[in-house]
Every structure is written in C-alpha cells, then in structure tokens.
Amino acid sequence: MSDGAPILQVNHTSRSYFENGKEFEVLKDITFELRDRDFVCIVGPSGCGKSTLLREIVGLDKPTSGEILFQGQPVRPEDPRMSMVFQSFALFPWLTVTQNVELGLEAHGAGPEERKGKAKKYIDAVGLAGFDNAFPRELSGGMKQRVGLARALAMDPVLLCMDEPFSALDALTAQNLRDEILQLWLNPDLPPSAVLMVTHSIDEAVYLADRIVVLTSRPGKVVKIETVDLPRPRNRKEPEFYGWVDEIYSLIV
Ligand code: ADP
C-alpha cells in the first residue's frame, strides 16, 4: 500500500492475564502505527510484553481492550499479508529447505509450480542457493534463520514481523544477517513494504530502525517513540550512534 494510509494501526490496546483469580496486566494502552517503507523496532526489558504484542499484531493473540487494524481492517489469524520470523527458527526437521519454505504457500493453497518458483526465488535471495535439498540438521544457525526468512518472504508479505530473530545467533552471524535484512528491505523488487521487529537489544534497534517504540515493564507501556534519523549504513563507532543508544537506554532504566 503506497497511498500514505497506515499499514498497521495499534490503537490503545491493553492485555491482561488472570492468574489464581487475580488480574495481571501485561500491556497497557499501546498506540503506534506503521506506514509503507517503515522499519520499526519495539524495544523493552525482558518480560515487558514485546512478544505478546507481536503475537496480537499477527492475530495469534487478542488484546483485552483496544484494536489492531491491518490495512484498515481488524487483524485476522494467518493473514498471508503478514508473516513472522521466530527466534527459534521454527523449522520442521524432517523437511528439506525447499519444503520448509513452501509450507506457508501450501497452507494458502498455492499450486506446486507456484510454490517451487517462489521457494527458489527466496532461497536464492537469502543466499542459500544450492542448499535447496538440505535438511535443517545440516545447516548452521545463521543458515536456519535464512530459511525462516525465506519462508516468511515467500508469502510476499506487506508486513514482515520478526521476534528477536538474531538473538540465538553468534555475534558475527547476527551482524551479517542484520545487514542482509536491510539490503532485502531496501530492494524495491522484493517484499515487504514494512518491517516490525521485536528486540531486547537497543544497539540492534538503533542499527536497524527508522522508529523505535520504547516500552517499559509491569505493565508494558510506550514511554516514547523515537525517530532515528541517522543515515545508513550506520556506524556503531560514531558518537551519534551511541548517543542514540544512551538516550533509549535512559528511557528504559
Ligand atoms: P517479552 O517478549 O517482552 O519478554 P512476553 O510478551 O513474552 O515478554 O511476556 C510478558 C509477560 O506476560 C510475562 O510476564 C509473561 O509471563 C506473561 N505472559 C505471556 N503469555 C502469557 C500467558 N499465555 N498466560 C499468562 N501470562 C503470560
């Protein structure tokens, strides 16, 4: 959608759980939106409700109050216009790379030719050409996450959601993948239109995002939405970079 309308609107949503008859508020009055070409990170301390919020956005959970709209309509589970990359990769070990990438397409009724074509396109796009028939056990952590990414992109999503996608990876692999995500996102010929990523790493958020939704915990609330106007590629060694990291850190602690 490039008519300037928001892709995603999170409007005053809250989420509570009940434990031993007592209400336990996890998220309180969360409001923000995403538009075409946005790369937004949600940061906050562990347990502040980041994953819960992302699950609500993709329709896997429901807010207790408030609304979440995707392209102007209430979100619905398994909407192929939104796809998700998980920290744990979430691959099926008994399926090959191609079969794992084809899974979402198959679930949405794509025929064998379309599945094959899209799987190949995105396996190549994430740098896994030649590994089409490999099984997850034959791949490194970084390669497994590339499969997770190819599977998400194969749906041609408008919105790509990622939940701590790099935190199970070693530092060097994580940094390579961050750069590659940016390259993919900057490529106008490839989806998605916007990216929403949850991370506990402030450094990672400042490296990647145009805007950062900063949450505090118990219950998770938006303390500030920062617009990071650093030019790309961003350099962690520059004072402006760690100025941003310090600024966001000071909002959380
Ligand atoms: P984060 O991703 O920021 O680490 P989560 O969204 O995973 O935080 O969890 C936020 C809080 O909500 C945690 O205290 C967690 O225990 C609680 N929580 C999450 N899901 C459930 C659930 N299904 N039932 C009860 N409590 C939950």
Side-chain angles (χ1 to χ4, degrees):
M1 211 187 233
S2 53
D3 57 3
I7 289 174
L8 177 77
Q9 293 161 278
V10 179
N11 292 332
H12 301 288
T13 61
S14 298
R15 179 70 168 101
S16 297
Y17 292 108
F18 286 87
E19 241 172 46
N20 306 322
K22 241 183 97 182
E23 188 175 1
F24 167 59
E25 199 170 35
V26 172
L27 290 163
K28 192 178 173 76
D29 197 23
I30 307 288
T31 295
F32 68 93
E33 62 179 34
L34 259 79
R35 290 174 185 264
D36 193 42
R37 306 313 308 157
D38 273 345
F39 197 129
V40 172
C41 281
I42 301 172
V43 297
S46 187
C48 74
K50 301 184 293 298
S51 297
T52 304
L53 180 57
L54 206 58
R55 286 172 55 79
E56 289 176 353
I57 287 167
V58 296
L60 295 173
D61 198 341
K62 276 191 167 200
T64 320
S65 62
E67 62 173 6
I68 302 180
L69 304 177
F70 180 74
Q71 295 187 330
Q73 300 294 320
V75 290
R76 56 185 171 89
E78 296 178 30
D79 187 330
R81 296 169 302 168
M82 286 189 274
S83 54
M84 180 91 142
V85 174
F86 299 93
Q87 178 184 356
S88 59
F89 319 133
L91 304 182
F92 290 98
W94 58 88
L95 299 180
T96 64
V97 166
T98 298
Q99 288 166 334
N100 268 288
V101 173
E102 285 185 6
L103 268 184
L105 293 164
E106 199 173 345
H108 284 94
E113 282 310 306
E114 183 187 352
R115 294 204 306 259
K116 229 170 113 186
K118 283 200 169 162
K120 172 105 191 76
K121 174 178 172 184
Y122 289 104
I123 288 168
D124 291 356
V126 300
L128 282 180
F131 290 91
D132 314 52
N133 295 316
F135 287 92
R137 65 172 178 276
E138 301 172 84
L139 306 177
S140 67
M143 291 162 89
K144 285 180 192 158
Q145 193 53 298
R146 285 169 200 269
V147 181
L149 186 59
R151 182 179 54 196
L153 293 175
M155 301 303 292
D156 287 329
V158 174
L159 176 63
L160 177 68
C161 294
M162 300 194 284
D163 190 359
E164 305 259 10
F166 312 123
S167 41
L169 305 174
D170 67 83
L172 200 61
T173 305
Q175 186 52 32
N176 286 339
L177 269 176
R178 281 182 204 115
D179 286 333
E180 287 177 31
I181 285 274
L182 281 176
Q183 289 310 316
L184 287 169
W185 173 65
L186 289 167
N187 184 340
D189 298 329
L190 293 176
S193 301
V195 178
L196 179 62
M197 181 175 136
V198 155
T199 177
H200 63 266
S201 164
I202 297 171
D203 180 274
E204 179 167 280
V206 173
Y207 189 77
L208 291 172
D210 302 312
R211 287 204 312 289
I212 302 180
V213 179
V214 186
L215 299 184
T216 50
S217 52
R218 294 176 211 287
K221 277 189 289 197
V222 177
V223 256
K224 201 162 179 189
I225 299 177
E226 297 277 16
T227 300
V228 183
D229 54 5
L230 293 173
R232 293 192 170 95
R234 294 178 180 165
N235 183 349
R236 289 187 167 81
K237 292 188 179 137
E238 282 177 1
E240 290 80 6
F241 188 95
Y242 47 83
W244 270 109
V245 173
D246 284 350
E247 155 83 11
I248 291 165
Y249 190 73
S250 70
L251 293 169
I252 292 176
V253 292

